[in-house]
Amino acid sequence: CPNETQWPIEAGLSVSSKLCYAIGGAPYQITGSALGFFLQIYLLDVAQLDPFYASIILFMGRVWDAVTDPTVGFLISRSPWTRHGRMMPWIMLSTPFAVMSYFMIWLVPPVEQGKVVWYLFFYCIFQSMQTCFHVPYSALTMFITSEQKERDSSTAYRMTVEVLGTLIGTAIQGQIVGGANAPCLNHTFSPNASYSIIQIPNISISQISLDDTRAYMLASGAIGIIYLFCAAVLFLGVREKKGDLVRVERRTSFFSGLLLLWRHRPYVKLVIGFLFTSLGFLLLEGNFALFITYTLGFRDDFQNVLLAIMLSATLTIPLWQLFLTRFGKKTSVYIGISWAVPFMILVVCVESNLIITYIVSLASGISVAAAFFLPWSMLPDVVDDFKVNNPDSQGHEAVFYSFYVFFTKFASGISLGISTLCLYFAGYVTRGCTQPDSVHLTLKILVSAAPITFIVLGLIIFKTYPINEERRRHNCGQLRTLLQ
């Protein structure tokens, strides 16, 4: 902020506090990367569900998850302050239930007829508990410090650890599951039959599922232990502060607060812009393992290719923090999000080549880092802008963050549900060594043409986003006057 010396300055956060805060974000990304990259292929090839039912589970689970976000956000905003704060009790109480339900997702039930209900039930329970963890954790950014610079710095720490979390989740799940990868099944297509009529040899489906699910259960157990550890570090290492910039806090009803929030145009444009860009990257994430396995033919290397993406993203988060400090957040969005587009085109246009695939993965990780980091860096700016324009309506931080998470998860549900349904209509063969040409074409569209379309739409919307660096500095000065 300009001329900061004329106002009282809050002491900066220590590095240890920022690290403890950042570690608290790892569970969401560790479990999210494991589910995002592997749940679809797990339901299809291990649980051996029909693609239609798998699409229902993925879509309905995410829709349920999305609906719970604004509900939890509203309940948090109405929660009383305790000696541990307003956010921390939600985080700690939801953790053990999240870990237990996450483990159950990766267990193949002994009954064949109840599989769909089993996976849908535990997927929804986990998503609900994850919401009770992640919404208050996201809003915690506003309650660990009131300094914009410190929030940006804390967000950079958080995003670095969260992308590291996706790396850890991808590594644990990929290496354990990849090491126990069951062989594919040869099949023949009837030339005179519909694409969906596929003849496969007689096999022991239950034995394949039992052997493969042990690896998934081992991976989920390891991730559950990390989840508990990270939650404990967050609770012990971060002190939640009551918002000292709030001069008047007037409670409003859920719908009144929602209406007030959605009248704030910068927030609406930010959320819709990132909704489209997130949809693009989520389509890529959800289908890339299948694309690598079947279209490119690297069945034994897909987990390492995914690991390369996350490693690249982890290493470039600090660079994006430096870049936005130098050139501003809007410029960072345009360059960072669009960086992956040429590589999305390249990976489907060139002939299958493992070296090129690794190069594309490393380059795409740079955009993945920007997609992780920038939304959470820009949300506090929108909240501050709302406070400046609505000084008598405060305490909506959790609602702001919960609705952003709502739309992100809604986009995830749409991407997973629709993509799995597209594979169903294309004639996807469960655990097949090869797939029909229609499946290869569908996968190319899902990892290239469709994501690029959504990314371009999102960037067009960002052209109208009104908060630039000058407006951020103005808001900073206006908020400081509330302390006087």
Side-chain angles (χ1 to χ4, degrees), residues 128-316:
S128 298
M129 294 300 101
Q130 185 78 304
T131 295
C132 292
F133 183 103
H134 189 246
V135 169
Y137 172 76
S138 301
L140 194 60
T141 308
M142 306 298 297
F143 296 97
I144 57 175
T145 179
S146 59
E147 292 291 321
Q148 284 188 351
K149 184 178 179 181
E150 290 297 305
R151 288 177 187 167
D152 285 345
S153 176
S154 299
T155 300
Y157 274 82
R158 172 191 165 188
M159 290 300 107
T160 301
V161 173
E162 286 197 2
V163 176
L164 180 62
T166 65
L167 178 65
I168 293 171
T170 305
I172 292 175
Q173 193 85 4
Q175 297 305 312
I176 293 177
V177 171
N181 198 20
C184 61
L185 306 176
N186 289 314
H187 61 274
T188 58
F189 297 94
S190 176
N192 298 320
S194 168
Y195 64 81
S196 62
I197 306 299
I198 298 166
Q199 299 174 3
I200 60 174
N202 292 328
I203 56 169
S204 176
I205 296 292
S206 60
Q207 185 61 41
I208 290 177
S209 297
L210 179 61
D211 292 341
D212 225 10
T213 194
R214 287 171 180 164
Y216 280 96
M217 292 171 63
L218 178 62
S220 65
I223 288 174
I225 292 172
I226 297 174
Y227 196 120
L228 293 171
F229 171 78
C230 292
V233 169
L234 174 67
F235 178 75
L236 296 174
V238 175
R239 187 171 72 90
E240 184 179 343
K241 303 174 183 179
K242 198 167 184 176
D244 56 358
L245 284 178
V246 178
R247 182 174 57 190
V248 179
E249 182 169 326
R250 185 179 64 191
R251 291 199 170 196
T252 60
S253 69
F254 175 76
F255 292 105
S256 298
L258 178 62
L259 182 61
L260 193 63
L261 183 150
W262 282 104
R263 284 176 177 171
H264 191 56
R265 296 180 65 83
Y267 178 75
V268 173
K269 292 177 180 179
L270 181 76
V271 168
I272 295 177
F274 277 121
L275 170 66
F276 281 105
T277 57
S278 297
L279 189 55
F281 282 102
L282 288 167
L283 276 172
L284 178 65
E285 176 190 69
N287 295 281
F288 204 52
L290 290 172
F291 176 76
I292 296 169
T293 301
Y294 292 113
T295 303
L296 297 183
F298 303 130
R299 175 179 293 274
D300 297 328
D301 298 284
F302 80 92
Q303 68 271 18
N304 297 323
V305 175
L306 299 178
L307 200 59
I309 296 175
M310 293 300 104
L311 179 62
S312 173
T314 303
L315 295 176
T316 51

Side-chain angles (χ1 to χ4, degrees), residues 387-400:
K387 288 181 177 181
V388 169
N389 290 280
N390 301 274
D392 294 328
S393 182
Q394 305 291 337
H396 300 298
E397 292 86 357
V399 179
F400 270 100

Side-chain angles (χ1 to χ4, degrees), residues 26-76:
Y28 181 76
Q29 298 301 339
I30 292 174
T31 56
S33 65
L35 290 169
F37 281 126
F38 295 96
L39 183 58
Q40 184 186 50
I41 199 169
Y42 167 81
L43 293 176
L44 293 174
D45 284 1
V46 179
Q48 303 206 353
L49 295 179
D50 185 277
F52 177 76
Y53 292 118
S55 69
I56 291 176
I57 292 169
L58 294 171
F59 179 72
M60 293 303 298
R62 280 298 190 173
V63 168
W64 169 258
D65 183 27
V67 169
T68 59
D69 282 302
T71 305
V72 169
F74 173 72
L75 293 175
I76 291 172

Side-chain angles (χ1 to χ4, degrees), residues 456-470:
V456 170
L457 288 174
L459 293 177
I460 291 173
I461 292 171
F462 273 118
K463 286 289 290 182
T464 65
Y465 177 68
I467 300 180
N468 52 26
E469 297 307 301
E470 181 181 353

